[in-house]
Amino acid sequence: MSLDIVYQDTDLVIVDKPSGLLSVPGRGADKQDCVVNRVKRLIPGIMDQPAVHRLDMATSGLMVLARSADIHRNLSQQFERRWVEKKYLALLEGIVEAAAGEIRLAFRLDPDNRPHQVYDPIQGKLGITRWKRLSVNGITTRIEFTPLTGRTHQLRLHASHPKGLGTPIVGDPLYGNGKKGDRMLLHAAQLQFRHPGNGQTMHIVSKAPFF
């Protein structure tokens, strides 16, 4: 029930979530082990619902939690107004020829295949991602993603869809060729935001375990 806490003070906590751990509790007794419940055990007195944002269960990396309602409100507003800069590192299954670019794709939940998201330029919500190719190694490509929006499965869909990069993230079971038990190679590597308490710029970095 341990957790890697990379930063904490009287206002907030930043953890390095491992792949395979839920961000928040789900329905049922088997889905109660998560970042939120582990933090609540480690830090008594933290607010009941401290998660400011979430990472997919299969995604590892940096996640911010607030210790009070005022701090939660401030951080949530920073995310909503796109003031928070997030960078992710990923290993893709194929070769990306271009050096950098921006993906703008609208997508929505497929109600017949939850939690899968589908491209829908009419009814979908726009997701925007900037990306940069870091290197090509054999038949895989290292990519840095900078999401400007925070849609569900945004990076996974933007990587795999033909209108995006056209090659899925290694280990992705929904949009790629990942199998049960595989490690999806997507990591929330950097977060930058303004500290709600003192106004200073926070820049937190986590090394991707697969790079």
Side-chain angles (χ1 to χ4, degrees):
M1 305 303 287
S2 63
L3 197 61
D4 184 7
I5 296 177
V6 298
Y7 176 86
Q8 67 172 313
D9 59 26
T10 56
D11 293 321
L12 55 89
V13 181
I14 302 175
V15 306
D16 200 335
K17 187 186 88 65
S19 176
L21 181 66
L22 290 167
S23 292
V24 300
R27 295 181 180 178
D30 61 329
K31 295 182 179 177
Q32 296 307 299
D33 183 24
C34 61
V35 170
V36 163
N37 285 340
R38 289 192 186 189
V39 167
K40 288 167 73 173
R41 279 189 288 269
L42 292 170
I43 305 177
I46 197 170
M47 67 181 297
D48 189 53
Q49 298 180 7
V52 178
H53 63 122
R54 303 179 186 185
L55 297 176
D56 290 347
M57 183 176 181
T59 304
S60 60
L62 298 172
M63 182 174 159
V64 184
L65 302 98
R67 299 186 69 155
S68 68
D70 287 344
I71 298 300
H72 192 284
R73 189 177 306 110
N74 181 294
L75 288 169
S76 295
Q77 289 176 349
Q78 291 192 52
F79 274 92
E80 290 168 6
R81 295 171 181 173
R82 303 182 188 176
W83 293 349
V84 179
E85 183 175 296
K86 299 169 286 182
K87 290 187 183 297
Y88 290 72
L89 297 175
L91 189 67
L92 305 193
E93 289 183 4
I95 296 175
V96 176
E97 299 291 347
E102 182 175 286
I103 302 166
R104 302 174 69 93
L105 290 179
F107 49 97
R108 59 166 175 80
L109 175 69
D110 180 358
D112 297 323
N113 188 23
R114 296 172 180 269
H116 199 274
Q117 306 287 314
V118 293
Y119 172 64
D120 187 339
I122 306 301
Q123 298 182 344
K125 293 184 177 180
L126 181 65
I128 306 171
T129 304
R130 291 176 183 158
W131 63 273
K132 179 172 65 176
R133 185 186 64 195
L134 300 179
S135 65
V136 174
N137 183 18
I139 58 171
T140 61
T141 305
R142 291 179 175 181
I143 294 287
E144 179 187 85
F145 287 118
T146 303
L148 303 186
T149 54
R151 308 296 181 208
T152 301
H153 296 178
Q154 177 173 317
L155 300 181
R156 299 167 70 175
L157 187 139
H158 280 184
S160 62
H161 199 277
K163 291 183 177 294
L165 294 180
T167 179
I169 297 169
V170 172
D172 190 338
L174 286 180
Y175 305 95
N177 299 306
K179 305 292 190 299
K180 185 177 180 180
D182 287 353
R183 163 75 156 92
M184 186 174 75
L185 303 188
L186 176 64
H187 184 77
Q190 294 186 49
L191 273 176
Q192 184 168 300
F193 59 93
R194 181 170 294 178
H195 193 290
N198 56 34
Q200 294 183 349
T201 298
M202 299 282 294
H203 183 73
I204 309 295
V205 177
S206 168
K207 181 176 174 59
F210 50 83
F211 261 41

